[in-house]
Amino acid sequence: MLLGLKTWPLRSLPSSLRFLSFSTPAPPLQDTSPISPSDLESLVLRQYRAGKFHNLLPYVVATPSVLLAATGRLLSRANPSIPTPSLAAPPFSVDALADELGCGGFDPAAHCATLLPSRKKGEALTLPDLKLKVVVEAVRMALEVVYGKRFATFAYGGRESMGRHTAVRYLKTTVQNPTWWFPVALRREPFGTRHLRRLVAILEEKIEDPALVALVERLFGSQTISIEFGGVQLGRGFPQESDLSAIILNIYLDALDREIKDLRAEIHKKNPRLGGLEENETSGVFHKPIRVYAVRYLDEILLATSGSKLFTMNVKDRILKVLEDNLELKVDKLKTSIHSAVSEKMNFLGMELQAVPPSVLHPPMSEKAIRAKKKYLKRKAAKAQELKNARETRRKKLGLKILNHLFKKLKHGHEFEFDFRIESEVREVFANWAHEVVAEYFKSREDCWHWHRMLSTGDFLSLKRIRDQLPHELVDSYDHFQEKLDKYLMPTGATRDVEEEERLAEEEEERKYAKRTVEDLTELRMRVNAPMELVRKAVKLAGFTNSMGRPRPIKLLICLDDADIIKWYAGVGRRWLEFFCCCRNFKMVKTIVTYHLRFSCFLTLAEKHEATKRQAISHYTKDLKVTDVNGMEAVHFPTEREVKMMGDQNLSDPKPVDGALTLILARLATNEFSFPCLAHFCGQVDTVLYRIRLLQNRLNVDPLNKSKWVPGMGAIHESLNKKCLPLCSKHASDLLLGKISLQDIDCTSFVDM
């Protein structure tokens, strides 16, 4: 069988766009190091004159330092486990690429490859090569400096530290008392000619650079940048995605963001927040001004209001007018409907939202839980007392043994001589023990009351006729003794303190109950849950469970190595845990990962080795330990302890599980040829061929068919099915574990066999 790198015919560039002339000559090229973010910002700001940025392509994008910085970003993203990966030498000349960009001779279409679909009615996929990806990243870096600080605070996605978890945190902490909300559902349509014309007009408002604008147009014309409104292909790490697509989408929808900001400013001005009412809790007056809240993650938009439904309808009409008239977008009116924030759930960012009272998020302890807590504390105190008694018993036995030994030695006439005296140390130790015993004794009210009763009740010295016949010194001594007895042993003061503490605790509990009741009647907060029905459907669709919901093996994975099988399961499980860690019902996701995925992995390994599940668990342990090439044991799947400790702690922008769930890499048993690793700037020659197997092709299911596919779950393009990729061991492991995606691999140089 003949193997070789896949080659594709170059697409010719139109003569009208082949050469561009610049009024300003390109700067001279020189060998330099990658530019830092601060220096890049200074370089871009130098081109700002008369309210616009000029000549960004020749003086910013087409400089070797910026191209090297773009190369470094692609390299670091393809090597997430290495803090600062080093690049020996790019596979192309950076100076030549900079010269080609500066002179206007760079043709994006010549650096693209077209992958034919596997179905007759399917669509072809156009992907850029590595050199074009560097140019796209350089353009993104320049546009990020120009527009990054001008985006709205509620615009998430495609921005540093502004990911999904940050948007969810905004919903949970900032949105107060929402009554009505509506999502803006855009119809599925590609970024067409009218959208490109509108984008060019937006870019020309801030940038005076015909060469850069023409380059962006050619990127869209060559399908290097692919944007689909209303789809599920953005922000998921698919090979047709690009970080430039995210920032261009933010630039295009910035007019909508400004309209929302103006609307919110008008509402705040008409409904100011009155001072002094929130601090006065006893006044009984609750002031709730009308507010509008908005969250936009790329093309997913959600607006919530704390006003009436009529007010929300006016807000909706104003938003839709901007989208349809100014931005020329098509809105699905049926899906863009107003819903009650209290009685209806909303699917947004792959999660379920609902406004609930505070007691739902922070419920008080039930009577059963309180009894269980008291029982636990009682058992804990009893266990501590048992340990203390055992320690004292051992100490007593040891002391008796020592004294017995010394007595026998002295009895036989032995003398003990010490170089130093320890009487003071022994005296101090016994004094500390005595103080501890006394302190423990006085803590017990029952013991104090018992001894007080024994020492004071029925004493004949308390009778007056007896006292008159006794000496005054004896009577005074007795009275002084009774005073000390009442002072130290009579538990009236301690009882009074305990009763005071119980009274204060009851008052505090009543105050908390009253406050909780008022908050439940006057406040609403956002609850974020994982859509468990969709997760269970995805688990069943991928084959983790059978029709009864029990774990089952995935026979397609049997051809993989044991380590690759475990890594694939680990990639899916970690993606789910990282994505839904901000949800309130995260425990249910933990159960799915801990039970369904873990035992499905055991069953797959048992099926491969023709063993039982018990034997597989005994061999790999519950943590799914596997031996690597160096003979060391490694754990890739999240351990039960790690899963229990995960929660809403770290904010990130996790990619959904689509890329890891719908992709299986089948290793080919061939070593006849050696190919370089296709990960960005890897250069390793010791590689292994992996064949891509996609979920929708295995199941023969169309991802657009919502009845058979999981709604909201994306799919890798079908043209990549059964393509072969040479990968080194490190990048193959990262791809299986979900640390990198096909977006970090040069899919245009696959091996055809």
Side-chain angles (χ1 to χ4, degrees):
M1 182 181 293
L2 181 61
L3 301 179
L5 290 178
K6 186 70 175 180
T7 58
W8 302 93
L10 300 181
R11 301 178 61 180
S12 59
L13 182 67
S15 58
S16 59
L17 297 177
R18 188 167 301 168
F19 298 99
L20 293 175
S21 60
F22 302 98
S23 59
T24 305
L29 301 177
Q30 57 183 357
D31 295 335
T32 182
S33 59
I35 193 170
S36 63
S38 58
D39 293 339
L40 175 62
E41 185 176 359
S42 301
L43 182 63
V44 173
L45 293 179
R46 286 197 207 108
Q47 306 303 120
Y48 185 76
R49 297 184 301 274
K52 289 187 178 182
F53 293 88
H54 299 264
N55 300 323
L56 291 180
L57 181 62
Y59 282 93
V60 178
V61 178
T63 55
S65 60
V66 176
L67 293 175
L68 284 175
T71 302
R73 290 181 66 92
L74 294 180
L75 177 65
S76 61
R77 196 175 63 183
N79 298 272
S81 57
I82 302 177
T84 55
S86 59
L87 177 64
F92 53 85
S93 174
V94 176
D95 291 340
L97 178 60
D99 186 27
E100 189 177 1
L101 281 171
C103 296
F106 183 78
D107 181 17
H111 298 276
C112 292
T114 302
L115 279 66
L116 300 178
S118 58
R119 296 182 298 119
K120 293 183 178 180
K121 297 182 180 180
E123 298 180 357
L125 177 63
T126 301
L127 297 177
D129 63 1
L130 190 55
K131 183 184 291 187
L132 183 54
K133 286 184 178 181
V134 172
V135 175
V136 169
E137 180 63 21
V139 175
R140 186 204 65 81
M141 292 167 58
L143 293 180
E144 184 180 21
V145 176
V146 175
Y147 291 96
K149 296 182 179 180
R150 293 176 172 84
F151 292 141
T153 56
F154 53 83
Y156 300 89
R159 304 172 62 186
E160 191 71 22
S161 302
M162 297 285 284
R164 293 178 184 266
H165 286 176
T166 313
V168 172
R169 184 183 64 173
Y170 170 79
L171 289 170
K172 293 194 294 187
T173 59
T174 307
V175 178
Q176 299 179 358
N177 303 318
T179 53
W180 303 94
W181 54 18
F182 63 93
V184 180
L186 303 177
R187 293 187 181 275
R188 294 179 65 97
E189 60 172 338
F191 198 92
T193 306
R194 68 179 189 278
H195 306 116
L196 182 59
R197 183 173 60 252
R198 174 65 182 169
L199 175 64
V200 170
I202 295 174
L203 292 175
E204 290 177 348
E205 293 178 359
K206 286 290 181 183
I207 301 174
E208 187 67 33
D209 189 356
L212 180 61
V213 175
L215 178 61
V216 173
E217 290 180 340
R218 283 182 289 168
L219 290 175
F220 275 100
S222 62
Q223 298 183 4
T224 303
I225 303 177
S226 178
I227 299 177
E228 184 183 18
F229 293 106
V232 291
Q233 310 298 331
L234 295 174
R236 298 174 185 256
F238 293 158
Q240 65 268 26
E241 290 184 49
S242 170
D243 290 342
L244 181 59
S245 303
I247 192 170
I248 283 180
L249 192 60
N250 287 331
I251 294 172
Y252 191 83
L253 296 177
D254 186 59
L256 173 65
D257 298 340
R258 292 199 303 269
E259 182 67 21
I260 294 175
K261 289 196 295 185
D262 296 340
L263 175 62
R264 293 173 62 177
E266 295 176 7
I267 299 303
H268 290 188
K269 186 176 180 180
K270 293 180 181 178
N271 300 272
R273 189 179 297 277
L274 301 181
L277 290 180
E278 293 183 351
E279 292 77 7
N280 188 6
E281 299 181 356
T282 61
S283 62
V285 180
F286 300 95
H287 175 61
K288 296 181 181 179
I290 299 176
R291 290 291 180 263
V292 176
Y293 304 96
V295 175
R296 182 179 66 80
Y297 183 87
L298 298 179
D299 61 342
E300 297 184 61
I301 308 168
L302 176 68
L303 283 96
T305 68
S306 59
S308 62
K309 188 173 184 179
L310 180 61
F311 169 77
T312 310
M313 292 175 62
N314 295 332
V315 173
K316 173 187 170 184
D317 295 340
R318 185 169 173 177
I319 297 301
L320 296 187
K321 183 178 180 181
V322 175
L323 289 172
E324 294 177 343
D325 298 345
N326 297 350
L327 300 180
E328 301 181 11
L329 296 175
K330 297 180 181 179
V331 181
D332 191 341
K333 301 293 183 61
L334 183 61
K335 295 182 180 179
T336 310
S337 56
I338 299 175
H339 301 271
S340 172
V342 180
S343 58
E344 299 180 71
K345 297 180 181 179
M346 179 67 64
N347 291 324
F348 184 65
L349 297 179
M351 306 172 192
E352 288 184 353
L353 309 179
Q354 189 176 10
V356 296
S359 61
V360 177
L361 298 179
H362 306 286
M365 293 182 65
S366 62
E367 295 294 335
K368 184 177 180 180
I370 293 174
R371 291 195 302 269
K373 183 179 180 180
K374 290 182 178 179
K375 186 177 181 180
Y376 167 74
L377 293 176
K378 188 176 180 180
R379 286 183 177 179
K380 185 178 179 181
K383 185 66 175 178
Q385 186 65 31
E386 289 178 4
L387 294 176
K388 181 181 178 182
N389 295 338
R391 185 168 57 251
E392 291 179 352
T393 302
R394 290 193 299 269
R395 185 185 299 169
K396 180 180 178 181
K397 289 181 179 180
L398 180 61
L400 291 176
K401 287 182 180 180
I402 294 174
L403 292 175
N404 188 23
H405 176 72
L406 293 176
F407 178 75
K408 288 181 179 179
K409 292 292 184 181
L410 291 173
K411 187 177 180 180
H412 289 83
H414 293 279
E415 295 182 358
F416 296 93
E417 295 183 359
F418 298 97
D419 296 335
F420 57 92
R421 295 295 179 181
I422 60 172
E423 288 85 354
S424 59
E425 288 79 1
V426 174
R427 190 178 294 107
E428 183 180 356
V429 171
F430 276 94
N432 293 334
W433 288 353
H435 287 305
E436 291 178 3
V437 171
V438 173
E440 289 292 332
Y441 176 78
F442 280 113
K443 287 181 180 179
S444 175
R445 291 187 297 165
E446 291 78 7
D447 293 341
C448 292
W449 181 260
H450 172 71
W451 281 101
H452 183 273
R453 184 172 63 253
M454 294 290 293
L455 294 173
S456 61
T457 304
D459 199 321
F460 67 95
L461 289 176
S462 61
L463 301 176
K464 189 176 184 306
R465 63 179 179 273
I466 302 298
R467 292 168 63 94
D468 295 340
Q469 301 177 19
L470 295 176
H472 293 290
E473 292 81 0
L474 179 60
V475 175
D476 294 339
S477 299
Y478 172 76
D479 293 340
H480 181 68
F481 173 74
Q482 289 296 326
E483 291 177 2
K484 296 297 183 180
L485 186 66
D486 294 340
K487 179 179 179 181
Y488 291 104
L489 293 182
M490 191 171 184
T492 306
T495 305
R496 190 184 304 112
D497 295 339
V498 172
E499 292 177 353
E500 182 67 18
E501 291 178 0
E502 293 178 352
R503 186 184 64 82
L504 293 176
E506 291 179 359
E507 291 180 356
E508 181 66 18
E509 185 66 26
E510 292 178 358
R511 189 187 65 81
K512 289 182 179 180
Y513 177 77
K515 182 180 179 182
R516 186 166 58 247
T517 304
V518 172
E519 288 179 350
D520 287 349
L521 295 175
T522 59
E523 293 185 12
L524 291 173
R525 297 179 184 177
M526 195 69 68
R527 181 182 65 184
V528 181
N529 279 346
M532 296 312 302
E533 294 183 3
L534 299 182
V535 174
R536 292 191 182 96
K537 187 174 181 180
V539 168
K540 184 178 179 180
L541 182 69
F544 294 112
T545 59
N546 55 19
S547 58
M548 300 295 291
R550 296 176 180 175
R552 62 177 295 271
I554 300 179
K555 295 185 178 180
L556 183 64
L557 298 174
I558 294 178
C559 61
L560 303 182
D561 295 339
D562 294 354
D564 291 343
I565 293 174
I566 296 175
K567 288 176 183 178
W568 184 81
Y569 277 96
V572 176
R574 287 190 182 275
R575 281 281 186 94
W576 256 323
L577 294 174
E578 292 174 0
F579 189 81
F580 291 116
C581 69
C582 59
C583 297
R584 179 170 175 76
N585 60 344
F586 185 48
K587 291 183 179 180
M588 302 180 70
V589 182
K590 291 180 181 180
T591 302
I592 289 179
V593 174
T594 304
Y595 175 65
H596 293 87
L597 269 67
R598 190 186 302 273
F599 281 90
S600 176
C601 184
F602 283 129
L603 292 172
T604 303
L605 294 170
E607 184 81 11
K608 175 183 176 181
H609 297 286
E610 298 181 355
T612 62
K613 182 181 69 173
R614 189 178 298 275
Q615 291 174 341
I617 295 175
S618 176
H619 179 75
Y620 296 99
T621 72
K622 283 194 173 182
D623 293 334
L624 287 168
K625 294 182 180 180
V626 65
T627 305
D628 58 9
V629 293
N630 299 324
M632 302 294 292
E633 288 188 346
V635 178
H636 304 287
F637 198 89
T639 62
E640 293 183 355
R641 183 177 181 84
E642 289 178 352
V643 173
K644 289 180 180 179
M645 296 301 293
M646 286 183 178
D648 189 5
Q649 299 174 354
N650 300 322
L651 294 176
S652 60
D653 189 11
K655 292 182 176 63
V657 74
D658 313 349
L661 178 64
T662 59
L663 171 68
I664 292 178
L665 296 179
R667 181 173 179 174
L668 300 184
T670 177
N671 293 320
E672 298 179 2
F673 299 93
S674 178
F675 302 98
C677 180
L678 295 187
H680 291 166
F681 307 105
C682 180
Q684 292 288 336
V685 183
D686 186 11
T687 59
V688 177
L689 282 177
Y690 288 90
R691 187 184 296 276
I692 297 176
R693 298 296 300 272
L694 300 181
L695 177 63
Q696 65 268 24
N697 293 82
R698 287 195 292 118
L699 302 177
N700 194 19
V701 175
D702 185 6
L704 299 179
N705 189 352
K706 296 182 180 179
S707 60
K708 296 183 179 181
W709 194 256
V710 181
M713 188 175 77
I716 301 174
H717 200 276
E718 62 179 356
S719 60
L720 293 173
N721 188 48
K722 296 185 178 181
K723 297 295 187 297
C724 295
L725 300 176
L727 298 173
C728 63
S729 58
K730 175 181 174 300
H731 287 103
S733 176
D734 290 344
L735 186 58
L736 287 169
L737 289 172
K739 295 181 180 180
I740 63 175
S741 61
L742 291 178
Q743 190 177 351
D744 304 315
I745 294 176
D746 186 11
C747 296
T748 61
S749 302
F750 64 87
V751 178
D752 190 10
M753 60 176 300

